[in-house]
Amino acid sequence: MSGPLAPGGTSVSALTVYDTVAPDGLAGGSPHLHAVATEAYLVTAGAGELHTIDADGFRSTPLEAGATVWFSPGVVHRAVNLGGLEVRVVMSHAGLPEAGDAVLTFPDAVLADPRRYAEAAALPGPQAAPSERLEAALRRRDLAVAGYRELFVDTAHGRVVSPEALARLRTRAAALVAPRIDAWRQVAAATVDRVAAETAARLDALARGELAALADARVTVPATEHAYGMCGVLQKEAPPHDTHPTDLTPGGSR
């Protein structure tokens, strides 16, 4: 990969969260988790909630303009749109979400079969009509919500997570991504590893009084593309071809 990276080897997308209603009565995106990447939400407009399952169980975090929240790999998350919710999404390890790092919470029977999972996660490409792409994204969202609901135990005391179901989801997710790990190492080397190495080199150069890197500084305005992601409609950085394994696309991200 050539040219300057975004700060820290991250990627940034503008996200308009889906406002259609899922089968459980909530409007918003597809529940999923990331195996490696950390994700941050910077809310720019509207109102909503971030529903998560982490080490402490289920949590609902309010989302309103100006709010910032981030979550580490393994957190099951779902953006709920209460009206006009728009977010800037920052992802670590630019390229990994597009390379299969995001695992949707499909029903266990789908997660257990890599072929069925790939078919359920895939979306039509940009050659398809926008209405067709949106319909497929919402159909995928609804299937993920069906599996997400399997993670909870119905009680009178709120949304209690089933430890067994959550452990099974993590096991399925790890098995789905295992064949991709070697390729992901290449993505990490081209993003966060490269940034870390460049930082060390700059510190060494400054210590020696060498200013060539400062004199060669540039401004970057990345190309963007329109996409239908897991959580909503995205305006995101166009992927650099040499950082995204072409055979590891699950059909969307974020």
Side-chain angles (χ1 to χ4, degrees):
M1 179 178 178
S2 60
L5 292 169
T10 61
S11 62
V12 181
S13 302
L15 169 66
T16 300
V17 178
Y18 295 129
D19 59 4
T20 58
V21 177
D24 63 350
L26 297 177
S30 309
H32 62 283
L33 61 83
H34 295 280
V36 178
T38 294
E39 183 171 4
Y41 277 9
L42 289 72
V43 184
T44 57
E49 297 172 344
L50 179 67
H51 290 186
T52 56
I53 302 173
D54 63 10
D56 297 321
F58 174 80
R59 179 184 305 178
S60 177
T61 302
L63 299 176
E64 58 185 15
T68 299
V69 60
W70 64 82
F71 35 95
S72 55
V75 173
V76 180
H77 54 283
R78 177 189 188 187
V80 175
N81 191 346
L82 299 180
L85 184 59
E86 297 182 8
V87 178
R88 286 292 189 275
V89 179
V90 181
M91 298 293 309
S92 68
H93 302 83
L96 279 186
E98 291 79 4
D101 164 71
V103 177
L104 290 144
T105 60
F106 290 147
D108 185 64
V110 178
L111 291 171
D113 185 334
R115 184 183 297 274
R116 287 186 64 186
Y117 179 89
E119 292 174 351
L123 295 181
Q127 73 283 354
S131 59
E132 180 183 352
R133 298 174 69 191
L134 176 59
E135 181 180 356
L138 296 178
R139 186 165 57 246
R140 180 177 70 176
R141 185 272 312 270
D142 292 351
L143 184 63
V145 168
Y148 175 76
R149 297 175 75 177
E150 295 178 356
L151 300 176
F152 295 94
V153 177
D154 290 329
T155 72
H157 302 94
R159 307 198 77 170
V160 178
V161 178
S162 164
E164 295 79 13
L166 185 58
R168 185 165 55 247
L169 169 63
R170 291 169 177 155
T171 299
R172 301 297 194 202
L176 283 168
V177 304
R180 301 170 173 166
I181 292 173
D182 287 343
W184 287 359
R185 293 187 194 279
Q186 299 175 33
V187 177
T191 55
V192 291
D193 292 355
R194 175 183 155 186
V195 169
E198 288 178 352
T199 299
R202 286 179 181 274
L203 290 172
D204 291 342
L206 287 172
R208 294 190 299 266
E210 298 172 0
L211 306 181
L214 296 181
D216 194 39
R218 297 288 189 277
V219 174
T220 299
V221 179
T224 60
E225 62 182 12
H226 188 80
Y228 292 87
M230 294 182 180
C231 295
V233 181
L234 294 165
Q235 190 72 20
K236 65 178 185 175
E237 297 172 33
H241 295 298
D242 52 353
T243 62
H244 297 267
T246 56
D247 60 337
L248 299 178
T249 52
S253 64
R254 301 174 181 83

